[in-house]
Amino acid sequence: MAPSPFAIAICAVAAGVAIASAPATSISSSSSATYFEDIKCSVEDVEIANSRQLYSILNEVVNTTYFRLFKVDLERTCHRDATVKPSCEAEEVLEAESDDAKCDLQPEAKKNPSGFDAFFAHQEEEVDRRLSDKEEHALLSEEAACDPNLPEFWLDMCSNIPTTSSEYVNLVLNPEAFTGYNGSTVWARIYHDYCSISRRPEDLWYEEKVLYRLLSGMHASINIHIAHSFYPPRKSKGVLTYTPNPQRFMEQFGSNPQFIKNLHFAFVVVLRSLAKAAPVLRHIPIQEFSDEEERVFTKHLLNRLLDSHILRSCRPLFTAFDESLMFRDDDDIKQLLKTQFKTVFKNVSAELDCVTCQKCKLHGKLFLLGLGTALKILLIPESLLLSSPLAREEMVALVNTAQKLSSSIEYVGKLQNLFLLQQANGNGTVDKSGQAPGAAPSGEQPAKPATGLQVPVAPVAFDVMDQAVGTVAAALAKGQFDSQDSHDSVLQSVLHGNAALLALAKHYPPSDFAAHARRYLATASAPASADPPAASYDADLIVVGGGLAGLSAVLTAAEAGLRVVLIEKESYVGGNSAKASSGINAVSDDGTISHDGDNTAIFAEDVRKSSGPAGITPLGRALVRESAAAWRFVVDTGSLTLDKVTQMGGHSKPRTYRPSKGMAGAEITLSLFAKAEAYRNFKMLKKTRAVDLTFDGAGRVSGVRHAAANKNGPGTVGVTTAPAVVLATGGFAIGRRNDTLLQEYRPDLMPLATTNGRWCTGDGHHMSIRAGGDVVQMEDVQVHPTGFVDPAHPDADTKTLCAELLRGSGGLLLLRNGSRFVDELGTRQHVSAAMMAADPESLAFTILLHSSAAAASMTHVPMYESKRLLQRANTVDELAAHLKIGRDVLIATLEKYNEDAKKGADAFGKTHFNNAPIDVGGYFYFGTVTPVLHYTMGGVRIDTEARVLKAGSDEPIPGLWAAGEVAGGVHGTNRLGGNALTECVVFGRIAGEGAVKEAQAISSGDEAAERSSERDSGDVASGPRKISLAEVAEHNTPDDCWVVVHGKVYDLTDFVDEHPAGPQSILDIAGKDGTESFVAVHTKATLAVFAPIGDAAD
């Protein structure tokens, strides 16, 4: 078989279905708005629309005569030798039941391990092909309508699933259920054919990801249906229907929620195809398969599914998948990719002929035909869809596949709840059927209950347990738990039938229940006596926000011996500081930190020119004056080497420092955090949102109220007290969303995308304003001229910043016609304004790096290229073709630039031509950029000691400081590139020093003297754990992500979503040795913040 680039996609499915026995954990995907990769809606959107409408409608539709009769060839000969041993292990497949399971079930020779011999014997019989008289009559006039020889490429997508059989099968008489058949051999053979080709996951095409997620979704759906209909009817026991096996479900999916996400993904793709095919589905000849009454009823159901009300209420689902991103280029590679895409799908289709259980084969072919039909609908033009209508079996398969996916999503919650109920009752009876759902088959040990607080357990009635779990869920939704651990502890005890908590849940509302439950558990598990608190405050300083400003304050205070608590609403530190890649500005007058005769006076003049009409502010002068000390703090405290310096836009001298390897912001923040964690007097509250400040009777700050992050309920779940608080929560430059400070102060900028993270919601601004603090310059929001437009997601609300370093190294900005229009090294305000004036319609411009400029930017170029934000053109001809610009026009632009560089000036006022001249015969890198929201110059008003000032006066609020982007008035109306990191360190340290003085004034002399900056030496370990690469490979998902770097194994699960460059670059190396990818962007010192969980073993 010819090698295919889809090898890695199929292998990814193989890896993706590896299910290990997992503890009982919640796998609900909708507790937060989890967004799918490759589609534009959330898991919660899918579940809500499915539960409210789609599930019930689809179940009614597939029970009509037209959609329950399906014709498919089940007699085709398997093209393989059934004795071939697959190279992919059966344990990597969802369907594997045991090592001795056979593909060809022989009930007379093999006793069923579950003890239901009669049931298994029955399941091996032929498919039930009985048809009623009405169904027989309806089929007489039906004609085949699938022609695989049509010239249009995608129309033969399903040709390996022939529907030319002379017999129809009634799907209602043949439901999908557990038959005892083990399909692992067939799945393994599918993987085996394509596992021999080696490609890096980061090289996957978008189309490859789509295919393997669809197959993974199909695989998940099959196994969910099997778990839902696992135990057969037992009429002697009064059990008339299949009953579920929730234990099996949790073993397969409990620690693998990514498979549930793939299930949702497949559902969205199928729904999108239904929407596109609506004109065809509305006019299918139902009358040929039903009488008038049923025809009207079936049409009515279809209209309920497809009419404008459904489309309107579920529009985020039906339009969530964008098929236009697939195969949209006409180059040779994409043409080859098309052929191989279809070839792989056909080969997978052919493998189903090797399934020896006919019912399993029936449902497998039905499902795969539905997916193939969905892909065909989405990939052919609408005109062709109307002129070459779908075959009847394709429409039947499409609708039934939608129903299968819908049911699977609905069953997930049911199976999970049954499992939790089973655990709570110790596998006791929980229904009236005479059989416990999920009870272990005879001869098997029952599942052990989940571990937790050991309390007496007695059988609990379902309604009591249901009410208690509902109360816990409501308390969580209202933010009543101070941490996930607190919630988990209460829920675990409830599920174990703790009588005290069940009583609390019965009589108290959620807002009170959580507090009483926490107190009860603390009392139940606490020792008989406890030492009194060491001081009247929980801490000496609370810092809100874990970016560079917050970390600078933390370290300044921790080094002085203060007890410091950092509150961070994300799961990791860094914030927008970690995204800053160009560097940190600094200059000294003694010549130790200066280039080309630079000094603080020249730096201050550059700041003045950039700041606007008001000129440089006292805060701006403090930034310049303290920049050298900030630089030394970063280098010395963070143990960093900032040996690269560049000249950025608006600067007259090179003074922006960065490390030779890695991104400046990420390297600095992670290094400083590693230092902070070494202090015993430092504590961090992750995933915790600061809600408000607290005050004592004298009107001074006394602490912070906080809640579980992303829980915006009215109640608070915790208060940490301290005499000093530093706000370092960042800015508010996020548009395209309601109820923001940006909407209040700069509504004109709302349509722009942003470079900022989701955390920039102005929390510190709101807290300060409520405390009586003043704000300043809130209308001054900086638009950065260059945010990358990702070709795969051009309309994304968040853009990757195209670092100013690229323009500082000699990068050019071009219009669509290939001409320059601005001094690329002008201030951000100047360049952005020029872009908006030059092309206000598209706001799309080319960033162009010639070979010398690219060579000077190699800390950034590989990263941008790996994300396909930059592309390489090896010649000017190739560049002109990509940009759709005439070759002569492009060469003229480049040669004119060289002439101006030689003269030292151009028509746009540019006087610095770094890395010129351009080698017209060399290579180039290019990408598309657009103006983006980037920074807020306005914010909380502070003085030069970083104290927050009261509204209408220059009096500080006692005990409150602010540093970083949350503070306003530092930069005037425009910020110079590189000054953000400098500002963070300068004012973070000033705020930390102020808190030290405040704490020392309040604390007793003896108590303050006794504290020291103790460093945690750590316990002596017996040696690092040895972890095999095979074990690492099992942890390859967003929810379970291990990576090997420099021989150490790191668990990066909590860091995936917070990675400044986005999650994909981590996921690309999940479960693998990622050393090569890591060292291309980062230094080894970056890893100091992560504790390895073991050593990689060969």
Side-chain angles (χ1 to χ4, degrees):
M1 185 168 295
S4 165
F6 274 86
I8 190 67
I10 303 302
C11 291
V13 179
V17 294
I19 298 294
S21 180
T25 56
S26 172
I27 61 171
S28 174
S29 301
S30 60
S31 59
S32 63
T34 303
Y35 285 83
F36 303 122
E37 177 189 1
D38 307 325
I39 60 176
K40 303 173 183 175
C41 69
S42 70
V43 169
E44 187 176 26
D45 291 332
V46 177
E47 293 178 344
I48 291 174
N50 187 57
S51 178
R52 289 179 179 175
Q53 297 169 318
L54 302 176
Y55 174 68
S56 61
I57 296 174
L58 284 166
N59 273 282
E60 288 187 87
V61 170
V62 298
N63 275 281
T64 62
T65 300
Y66 187 91
F67 288 103
R68 70 172 178 255
L69 297 177
F70 180 60
K71 183 168 65 173
V72 66
D73 187 352
L74 299 178
E75 308 301 333
R76 287 184 43 158
T77 303
C78 174
H79 65 289
R80 292 180 175 274
D81 178 356
T83 63
V84 173
K85 182 180 179 181
S87 64
C88 300
E89 296 181 5
E91 286 77 9
E92 294 183 347
V93 188
L94 279 173
E95 302 240 350
E97 292 296 324
S98 63
D99 292 337
D100 59 352
K102 305 297 183 183
C103 291
D104 188 1
L105 188 67
Q106 299 179 9
E108 69 278 6
K110 174 176 167 50
K111 182 177 177 63
N112 164 41
S114 296
F116 300 114
D117 300 311
F119 166 64
F120 278 87
H122 168 74
Q123 291 303 318
E124 188 56 24
E125 295 175 358
E126 295 292 317
V127 168
D128 189 337
R129 290 181 167 84
R130 293 174 296 163
L131 301 178
S132 67
D133 292 340
K134 185 171 78 170
E135 290 165 346
E136 288 279 10
H137 176 76
L139 295 173
L140 294 178
S141 61
E142 202 279 339
E143 297 180 1
C146 184
D147 183 358
N149 298 313
L150 290 172
E152 289 76 7
F153 185 79
W154 297 110
L155 292 185
D156 68 340
M157 188 79 177
C158 306
S159 60
N160 270 3
I161 312 176
T163 58
T164 54
S165 171
S166 60
E167 294 186 83
Y168 281 82
V169 176
N170 187 330
L171 296 172
V172 174
L173 294 179
N174 296 276
E176 190 170 18
F178 180 56
T179 67
Y181 174 72
N182 185 333
S184 61
T185 300
V186 172
W187 281 102
R189 283 173 173 167
I190 291 173
Y191 310 146
H192 170 264
D193 277 349
Y194 308 103
C195 284
S196 60
I197 308 301
S198 176
R199 287 177 62 228
R200 299 183 304 168
E202 56 263 35
D203 293 333
L204 280 177
W205 294 95
Y206 174 77
E207 295 83 0
E208 293 175 300
K209 295 179 183 179
V210 168
L211 181 58
Y212 86 68
R213 294 196 73 184
L214 288 175
L215 291 174
S216 176
M218 170 183 170
H219 212 166
S221 177
I222 289 171
N223 281 275
I224 291 170
H225 275 83
I226 289 172
H228 180 264
S229 299
F230 191 85
Y231 297 110
R234 303 179 70 186
K235 294 182 180 180
S236 62
K237 300 290 186 180
V239 182
L240 304 180
T241 60
Y242 284 93
T243 52
N245 184 346
Q247 179 72 33
R248 183 185 195 274
F249 169 79
M250 291 303 295
E251 286 174 354
Q252 293 176 326
F253 296 97
S255 60
N256 295 277
Q258 68 273 16
F259 304 129
I260 304 300
K261 292 182 180 180
N262 288 342
L263 174 75
H264 286 76
F265 177 87
F267 188 39
V268 168
V269 173
V270 171
L271 289 177
R272 175 70 186 111
S273 70
L274 282 172
K276 184 176 178 180
V280 176
L281 291 171
R282 291 184 194 277
H283 296 93
I284 57 177
I286 295 176
Q287 64 274 10
E288 298 180 9
F289 285 77
S290 58
D291 55 26
E292 180 62 19
E293 181 179 355
E294 188 172 17
R295 183 190 69 79
V296 172
F297 178 65
T298 305
K299 284 284 189 181
H300 168 70
L301 290 176
L302 276 178
N303 286 334
R304 285 182 59 196
L305 183 63
L306 302 171
D307 66 12
S308 58
H309 171 70
I310 292 293
L311 290 175
R312 182 172 62 252
S313 62
C314 300
R315 183 160 297 279
L317 302 184
F318 281 81
T319 62
F321 175 73
D322 187 359
E323 67 276 6
S324 67
L325 297 178
M326 299 180 68
F327 309 108
R328 60 180 179 180
D329 296 328
D330 293 327
D331 55 31
D332 292 341
I333 293 177
K334 283 300 176 82
Q335 293 304 317
L336 176 62
L337 199 62
K338 280 185 180 181
T339 301
Q340 291 170 335
F341 183 99
K342 187 168 65 175
T343 299
V344 169
F345 186 87
K346 286 186 173 184
N347 288 339
V348 172
S349 303
E351 292 295 338
L352 295 181
D353 293 324
C354 302
V355 175
T356 58
C357 165
Q358 284 202 327
K359 278 193 176 180
C360 304
K361 184 188 298 186
L362 167 67
H363 287 283
K365 290 198 170 192
L366 175 71
F367 205 125
L368 201 60
L369 181 60
L371 290 182
T373 303
L375 287 169
K376 180 165 71 172
I377 291 169
L378 295 173
L379 293 174
I380 64 176
E382 192 167 342
S383 59
L384 184 58
L385 177 62
L386 296 175
S387 63
S388 301
L390 301 171
R392 177 194 174 274
E393 309 314 318
E394 291 176 321
M395 291 187 284
V396 170
L398 178 65
V399 173
N400 274 273
T401 299
Q403 185 271 339
K404 286 177 177 290
L405 292 164
S406 171
S407 297
S408 299
I409 291 171
E410 192 73 8
Y411 294 161
V412 167
K414 179 180 178 180
L415 288 164
Q416 182 177 329
N417 290 338
L418 284 173
F419 178 81
L420 294 176
L421 199 56
Q422 171 188 326
Q423 294 292 295
N425 284 288
N427 290 322
T429 300
V430 296
D431 65 10
K432 299 179 180 180
S433 68
Q435 178 180 353
S442 60
E444 295 185 14
Q445 294 296 319
K448 295 180 180 180
T451 58
L453 183 65
Q454 299 303 308
V455 294
V457 177
V460 179
F462 176 81
D463 56 345
V464 174
M465 181 65 67
D466 184 60
Q467 178 184 1
V469 172
T471 301
V472 175
L476 177 65
K478 293 184 177 181
Q480 300 299 315
F481 292 102
D482 56 0
S483 68
Q484 186 65 40
D485 288 342
S486 176
H487 162 262
D488 292 347
S489 176
V490 172
L491 179 61
Q492 197 78 279
S493 297
V494 166
L495 293 175
H496 281 166
N498 185 294
L501 293 185
L502 293 175
L504 285 172
K506 181 177 180 181
H507 296 289
Y508 283 92
S511 56
D512 297 324
F513 166 79
H516 289 305
R518 290 198 314 276
R519 280 195 291 270
Y520 166 75
L521 292 179
T523 302
S525 58
S529 61
D531 294 332
S536 57
Y537 290 104
D538 299 324
D540 299 310
L541 170 64
I542 298 171
V543 178
V544 184
L548 183 54
L551 291 173
S552 298
V554 164
L555 281 167
T556 301
E559 287 175 348
L562 269 62
R563 298 168 299 155
V564 183
V565 173
L566 173 63
I567 297 177
E568 171 55 54
K569 69 179 179 181
E570 299 299 316
S571 63
Y572 224 80
V573 298
N576 282 342
S577 301
K579 290 186 171 189
S581 60
S582 292
I584 180 171
N585 294 336
V587 66
S588 66
D589 288 331
D590 61 7
T592 57
I593 308 174
S594 67
H595 289 266
D596 194 23
D598 197 13
N599 56 46
T600 56
I602 298 173
F603 186 12
E605 178 62 15
D606 288 343
V607 172
R608 184 196 67 77
K609 291 177 180 177
S610 173
S611 297
I616 188 170
T617 66
L619 296 174
R621 293 191 181 280
L623 180 150
V624 171
R625 183 176 61 250
E626 299 297 326
S627 65
W631 186 92
R632 293 189 180 97
F633 171 81
V634 167
V635 170
D636 296 339
T637 305
S639 301
L640 285 171
T641 300
L642 302 178
D643 54 351
K644 295 292 184 181
V645 62
T646 191
Q647 180 177 341
M648 296 177 65
H651 293 264
S652 59
K653 301 288 183 180
R655 61 173 71 99
T656 306
Y657 293 84
R658 69 184 193 278
S660 57
K661 291 186 178 180
M663 302 295 105
E667 296 292 326
I668 293 172
T669 54
L670 293 178
S671 296
L672 293 185
F673 180 64
K675 296 295 182 181
E677 282 198 309
Y679 285 97
R680 292 178 179 174
N681 48 323
F682 168 71
K683 177 183 178 182
M684 180 178 176
L685 302 179
K686 296 189 290 187
K687 296 183 180 180
T688 302
R689 178 175 57 86
V691 176
D692 220 338
L693 299 167
T694 61
F695 292 84
D696 62 16
R700 65 168 298 109
V701 169
S702 61
V704 175
R705 290 191 179 94
H706 45 76
N710 301 322
K711 304 301 179 185
N712 296 313
T716 59
V717 296
V719 176
T720 299
T721 60
V725 173
V726 174
L727 299 177
T729 52
F732 57 88
I734 295 182
R736 302 184 182 181
R737 55 186 289 176
N738 296 324
D739 302 323
T740 64
L741 289 170
L742 187 74
Q743 186 179 42
E744 179 179 352
Y745 288 99
R746 287 300 302 273
D748 57 306
L749 298 180
M750 290 293 287
L752 293 180
T754 184
T755 61
N756 289 291
R758 63 189 179 189
W759 47 83
C760 293
T761 52
D763 295 357
H765 301 76
H766 289 296
M767 293 168 64
S768 178
I769 291 170
R770 287 193 296 269
D774 204 359
V775 292
V776 62
Q777 293 182 241
M778 295 292 279
E779 296 82 5
D780 292 326
V781 177
Q782 185 175 77
V783 176
H784 195 289
T786 55
F788 275 117
V789 177
D790 186 347
H793 306 284
D795 298 324
D797 292 341
T798 302
K799 308 290 189 190
T800 298
L801 182 70
C802 175
E804 206 153 355
L805 168 73
L806 269 61
R807 288 180 284 129
S809 298
L812 307 183
L813 290 175
L814 303 181
L815 294 171
R816 286 182 285 177
N817 63 11
S819 62
R820 290 180 61 235
F821 61 97
V822 70
D823 172 10
E824 290 85 359
L825 293 182
T827 65
R828 293 173 176 178
Q829 189 176 49
H830 173 74
V831 177
S832 296
M835 296 169 81
M836 292 179 177
D839 192 353
E841 180 180 351
S842 73
L843 285 180
F845 306 84
T846 296
I847 178 78
L848 178 64
L849 297 176
H850 54 91
S851 55
S852 297
S857 310
M858 289 313 289
T859 55
H860 291 61
V861 170
M863 178 184 68
Y864 293 149
E865 186 181 17
S866 69
K867 295 175 175 295
R868 296 185 172 88
L869 301 174
L870 283 180
Q871 299 181 60
R872 176 170 170 142
N874 292 316
T875 65
V876 71
D877 290 347
E878 186 179 333
L879 176 64
H882 275 293
L883 298 181
K884 296 180 173 58
I885 298 172
R887 176 183 183 277
D888 293 342
V889 172
L890 185 57
I891 290 178
T893 296
L894 301 179
E895 290 180 344
K896 180 65 167 66
Y897 183 85
N898 283 342
E899 293 174 7
D900 292 338
K902 190 173 182 179
K903 293 186 298 183
D906 67 6
F908 311 110
K910 187 168 189 172
T911 56
H912 296 281
F913 297 82
N914 299 324
N915 295 306
I918 297 172
D919 179 5
V920 179
Y923 66 86
F924 298 87
Y925 281 93
F926 64 94
T928 302
V929 293
T930 189
V932 284
L933 294 169
H934 184 59
Y935 191 87
T936 49
M937 276 71 66
V940 175
R941 189 164 68 95
I942 62 172
D943 61 14
T944 53
E945 296 180 44
R947 299 178 298 181
V948 176
L949 302 178
K950 294 180 179 179
S953 77
D954 291 332
E955 180 184 353
I957 296 175
L960 186 61
W961 289 260
E965 193 176 353
V966 67
V970 178
H971 308 285
T973 60
N974 183 66
R975 177 176 65 79
L976 275 176
N979 270 0
L981 295 185
T982 308
E983 172 196 16
C984 287
V985 178
V986 167
F987 291 99
R989 294 182 70 229
I990 290 174
E993 290 166 356
V996 170
K997 295 176 182 177
E998 191 78 14
Q1000 290 173 343
I1002 293 175
S1003 302
S1004 65
D1006 291 341
E1007 183 181 348
E1010 288 174 1
R1011 299 202 196 103
S1012 63
S1013 54
E1014 299 176 288
R1015 294 188 179 273
D1016 191 352
S1017 59
D1019 296 328
V1020 177
S1022 59
R1025 176 190 168 202
K1026 299 294 184 181
I1027 303 174
S1028 70
L1029 294 179
E1031 181 180 354
V1032 173
E1034 296 176 359
H1035 303 269
N1036 61 357
T1037 70
D1039 303 300
D1040 184 14
C1041 179
W1042 291 9
V1043 176
V1044 177
V1045 181
H1046 295 304
K1048 302 289 185 180
V1049 181
Y1050 297 88
D1051 184 351
L1052 301 182
T1053 305
D1054 287 341
F1055 188 60
V1056 170
D1057 289 334
E1058 280 67 45
H1059 185 227
Q1064 193 57 50
S1065 52
I1066 292 182
L1067 295 178
D1068 287 343
I1069 56 175
K1072 303 175 184 178
D1073 188 326
T1075 303
E1076 182 179 352
S1077 298
F1078 177 87
V1079 299
V1081 180
H1082 301 290
T1083 63
K1084 196 171 183 177
T1086 307
L1087 291 171
V1089 69
F1090 301 102
I1093 59 176
D1095 289 346
D1098 294 334

